[in-house]
Amino acid sequence: MPELRTVQVEDYHVRYQVLGEGDPLILVHGLSGSMRWWNRNVQTLAQDHRVYLIDLPGFGTMSRVRNRFAIIHVARWLLAWMEAVEIQRAHFVGHSMGGYICIWIAAHRPEVVSRLILVSPAVLSKIHTVWGYTRPLLTAVRYIKRGFFTILAFDALRAGPFTLLRAAHDLLSVDAQEDIIKIQAPTLLIWGEHDTLVPPSVGKILCTKITDSYLVILKDASHVSMYDQPEQFNRLAEAFLKGQPLDEASSC
């Protein structure tokens, strides 16, 4: 079981979890998420890495933070947390909104990023309003696994509607184009074939923009491919983090 720890970051007592030994690996959840979204991945990833799970401000155990959500501040907050727990350099795995946060860190603080795994990162959207996502969200419900729906509902209730709307609006307002082309770290892009929120076509574009990148699209997986197809996801992540070849991946 992961070890629960606390640390002081920007006047808040922050709870985080640690499991395993080896090079540091930080898992960064997405919008409406929490560290619980990695439940099917952490044990495998911790076999060869020291895995860190943390909730971002406004979500999960940090839902009590009611400051105005600003995604760039959250990225800087994550860097402050790394400094507080004395992590100088790590691998990053970021999902959806967490993927954008990892992109920002890789672009602005490349020295702290070893390897980067982006799981349906929320960038390059053609939709720029929250209400424009009504139809994709309704379609996405069709592909949610029954076990995951309980986790999603619980975390959404903890965050609350105002935090969710503010975070979504902030995420849709950022332009990640310049940050994407600055990424120097080797990058694995993982997508679910049934992702209606951030479609696989975005992954193909990213793969051409990030110099050292590879793309894998997982069958029978949605926006949360790490939960839908954990065995394949974990195997790909482990191989990539070790620098091993990926037969399923497309290089660009």
Side-chain angles (χ1 to χ4, degrees), residues 198-215:
V198 187
S201 58
V202 175
K204 294 176 182 178
I205 296 172
L206 282 180
C207 197
T208 64
K209 291 180 176 292
I210 301 174
T211 303
D212 187 4
S213 63
Y214 304 86
L215 171 65

Side-chain angles (χ1 to χ4, degrees), residues 45-170:
L45 296 177
Q47 291 176 8
D48 296 294
H49 300 89
R50 189 165 185 79
V51 178
Y52 291 83
L53 300 115
I54 185 168
D55 291 331
L56 299 174
F59 300 95
T61 57
M62 293 288 289
S63 60
R64 65 188 183 281
V65 178
R66 293 301 177 185
N67 293 339
R68 176 74 167 84
F69 185 93
I71 196 165
I72 303 303
H73 173 72
V74 172
R76 293 192 176 108
W77 178 90
L78 186 58
L79 288 168
W81 170 81
M82 288 180 65
E83 185 176 347
V85 299
E86 300 182 342
I87 300 175
Q88 296 181 346
R89 186 176 174 88
H91 302 301
F92 285 78
V93 183
H95 170 249
S96 195
M97 180 184 74
Y100 171 74
I101 290 170
C102 291
I103 287 172
W104 191 92
I105 290 174
H108 293 265
R109 292 289 302 279
E111 74 279 4
V112 307
V113 181
S114 296
R115 284 178 172 259
L116 186 61
I117 299 177
L118 301 175
V119 190
S120 294
V123 294
L124 305 182
S125 176
K126 294 181 180 180
I127 302 172
H128 300 290
T129 67
V130 174
W131 308 117
Y133 267 93
T134 302
R135 185 172 180 178
L137 280 167
L138 292 174
T139 306
V141 172
R142 294 170 49 197
Y143 299 106
I144 294 177
K145 305 289 184 183
R146 181 174 298 178
F148 182 74
F149 187 82
T150 303
I151 297 174
L152 173 62
F154 179 72
D155 284 336
L157 287 171
R158 281 200 290 180
F162 292 110
T163 295
L164 295 178
L165 287 172
R166 287 171 178 171
H169 179 270
D170 203 48

Side-chain angles (χ1 to χ4, degrees), residues 35-54:
M35 65 180 78
R36 301 166 72 235
W37 288 34
W38 306 103
N39 284 350
R40 293 186 169 186
N41 315 110
V42 61
Q43 293 290 340
T44 299
L45 296 177
Q47 291 176 8
D48 296 294
H49 300 89
R50 189 165 185 79
V51 178
Y52 291 83
L53 300 115
I54 185 168

Side-chain angles (χ1 to χ4, degrees), residues 142-145 191-195 217-230 232:
R142 294 170 49 197
Y143 299 106
I144 294 177
K145 305 289 184 183
W191 246 268
E193 66 170 342
H194 299 308
D195 191 340
I217 298 176
L218 300 184
K219 294 185 179 298
D220 194 29
S222 66
H223 188 59
V224 284
S225 56
M226 71 283 192
Y227 187 92
D228 294 342
Q229 294 292 345
Q232 190 175 2

